[in-house]
Structure formats: structure tokens, C-alpha cells
């Protein structure tokens, strides 16, 4: 059994963003869970986008699957899916950053939830940073607004992909 990156006693820095879509939660989940990261994570200010994903040997549809996103600046990270509840949500952990985040955080726990909103869906995405000792103030302070805008832009692109796909499916 793998030990969780974040425990109850850790002082983390969570950042949460939301987007709405007219698609059902099951449809939004089905489109977002396996989404092409390079399609939605684009450079923003000093933050790189995702250029490609390497090392994924199985479908992104169950806990235990892993992959290595490679960023547009050449840095990379290890990503492992830790939870997967079909149609409702999934969680993952990011560790082994090779960019500036390696000097700020031990890792990140990400979580997507797909919540009913009338006939559509609210997509909730949380990025929970586990700061390295003495670095929490950086992540909780000047880094948070920049990262929040980066996340919101990526999530808005995901919601647009959901809308496009739902239209194409009729």
C-alpha cells in the first residue's frame, strides 16, 4: 500500500477553481478525465504549458496508473492517479518536479469533482500543495494568485472542450 503524499496533520495550501458546463456530470467526467493535457495547459506568464505526456502505459481510468507530463520549458513531473470514481471524480498526486516547484513543494494532490448543477455540471478542481519546510509563505502568498489564474484558464479550456464534445455527440 502506498503512503499518501498529504496527511491530516500537514499544513497545505489548497487552491480551488470552478467552471460550469451544460453537459451532465457523467459526460463532463468522461471527457475531462482522459483529456489531452497539451490541449488545455498552455503557458501563462512565467508558467509553462504541457508539451506532451510520456510513460503512460494504460488508460487514465483507475487508481495506480501513472504518467510523466513534460512542460514546454523542458521540465517534467511524475503524476499518479490515486482515486477514480467513474462519473463523479478523480484525484492524483504530482511529485518529482524538475522546475521551480521542486524548490517550493514536496508535491501536489489534485482533485476533480463533477457536481450536478441543474441539467449541467459544476466542475470543481483543487490543487493542494504540500510546501517544503519554510516555503509555505511563498505558495500561500505571492504564488497563489498566479497559480489560481493558470488553473482557471486551463479549467475554462476543459469546459470548452466538454461543450464542443457534447455538441458533436448531439
Amino acid at each position: 500500500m502506498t503512503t499518501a503524499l498529504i496527511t491530516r496533520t500537514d499544513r497545505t495550501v489548497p487552491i480551488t477553481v470552478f467552471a460550469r458546463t451544460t453537459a451532465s456530470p457523467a459526460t463532463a467526467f468522461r471527457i475531462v478525465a482522459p483529456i489531452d493535457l497539451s490541449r488545455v495547459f498552455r503557458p501563462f506568464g512565467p508558467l509553462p504549458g504541457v508539451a506532451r505526456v510520456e510513460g503512460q502505459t494504460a488508460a487514465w481510468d483507475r487508481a495506480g496508473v501513472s504518467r510523466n507530463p513534460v512542460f514546454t520549458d523542458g521540465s517534467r513531473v511524475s503524476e499518479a492517479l490515486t482515486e477514480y470514481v467513474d462519473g463523479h471524480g478523480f484525484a492524483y498526486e504530482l511529485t518529482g518536479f524538475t522546475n521551480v516547484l521542486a524548490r517550493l513543494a514536496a508535491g501536489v494532490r489534485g482533485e476533480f469533482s463533477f457536481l450536478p448543477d441543474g441539467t449541467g455540471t459544476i466542475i470543481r478542481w483543487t490543487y493542494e500543495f504540500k510546501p517544503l519546510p519554510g516555503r509555505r509563505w511563498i505558495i500561500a502568498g505571492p504564488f497563489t494568485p498566479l497559480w489560481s489564474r493558470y488553473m482557471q484558464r486551463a479549467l475554462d479550456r476543459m469546459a470548452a472542450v466538454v461543450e464542443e464534445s457534447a455538441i458533436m455527440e448531439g
Side-chain angles (χ1 to χ4, degrees):
M1 180 173 211
T2 311
T3 304
L5 171 70
I6 296 174
T7 66
R8 183 180 59 80
T9 58
D10 288 324
R11 290 193 59 219
T12 62
V13 179
I15 301 171
T16 302
V17 294
F18 300 88
R20 282 186 162 82
T21 176
T22 59
S24 70
T27 297
F29 177 91
R30 182 178 47 76
I31 295 165
V32 170
I35 203 162
D36 176 357
L37 301 181
S38 67
R39 185 172 180 188
V40 295
F41 288 97
R42 298 189 186 136
F44 174 69
L47 303 173
V50 173
R52 65 187 177 282
V53 172
E54 297 177 346
Q56 184 174 329
T57 58
W60 197 250
D61 63 358
R62 66 186 173 285
V65 177
S66 63
R67 60 188 180 187
N68 302 101
V70 178
F71 300 102
T72 53
D73 65 359
S75 63
R76 57 182 54 236
V77 68
S78 296
E79 181 179 25
L81 198 53
T82 58
E83 298 172 35
Y84 189 93
V85 180
D86 193 22
H88 299 283
F90 61 95
Y92 55 95
E93 291 181 351
L94 301 165
T95 56
F97 287 99
T98 64
N99 57 19
V100 69
L101 286 176
R103 295 188 291 278
L104 296 176
V108 172
R109 181 183 191 279
E111 180 180 326
F112 278 87
S113 299
F114 299 82
L115 309 167
D117 181 40
T119 58
T121 302
I122 293 175
I123 305 170
R124 179 181 61 206
W125 179 25
T126 298
Y127 226 64
E128 187 177 10
F129 289 88
K130 181 177 180 175
L132 290 171
R135 306 294 198 292
R136 187 179 190 285
W137 71 272
I138 298 170
I139 296 173
F143 186 75
T144 291
L146 177 65
W147 196 263
S148 179
R149 286 192 298 273
Y150 180 70
M151 286 176 65
Q152 188 65 61
R153 288 171 187 247
L155 185 56
D156 288 345
R157 286 186 199 100
M158 290 179 213
V161 170
V162 169
E163 293 293 323
E164 291 166 15
S165 298
I167 289 169
M168 297 289 282
E169 293 173 2

